[in-house]
Amino acid sequence: MQAESYTELTLEEPRIWMPRLEMGLGLWQGNYKSIERLWLRWYEDNGNWIPTPTEQESQRAERLAAKLRELGVNPDEL
């Protein structure tokens, strides 16, 4: 929004950074809730997509499994 009105943007890439929010919004092709398509998705200042709750849980499970392996426990046998 610029001066209380919307302005059409021409983007060189399908992302736009919003300094006031310290976040960006871009187009992401992927699967979300079992639907494969092009989605709008938030990204961080380093360009990485912000994980969805499902992705966060998967990452958490992977970290816990790695920790168990470090401790000599095979999480696949639990």
Side-chain angles (χ1 to χ4, degrees):
M1 196 157 105
Q2 190 175 52
E4 302 300 321
S5 64
Y6 291 96
T7 304
E8 183 178 349
L9 298 174
T10 303
L11 302 174
E12 292 180 20
E13 61 179 271
R15 291 180 173 211
I16 184 166
W17 181 252
M18 294 176 255
R20 284 181 144 178
L21 298 177
E22 296 183 6
M23 297 173 73
L25 192 60
L27 294 174
W28 171 76
Q29 180 69 43
N31 190 307
Y32 179 69
K33 295 194 175 186
S34 300
I35 301 171
E36 177 71 31
R37 62 168 293 167
L38 193 61
W39 298 93
L40 278 175
R41 188 166 179 179
W42 295 105
Y43 67 93
E44 301 171 312
D45 61 350
N46 60 10
N48 292 333
W49 299 113
I50 294 176
T52 64
T54 302
E55 290 169 336
Q56 288 177 354
E57 185 58 34
S58 177
Q59 291 171 356
R60 181 176 178 267
E62 288 174 21
R63 285 192 308 271
L64 289 172
K67 187 64 175 174
L68 285 171
R69 286 185 191 96
E70 285 178 19
L71 297 171
V73 177
N74 184 346
D76 300 323
E77 294 178 354
L78 295 177

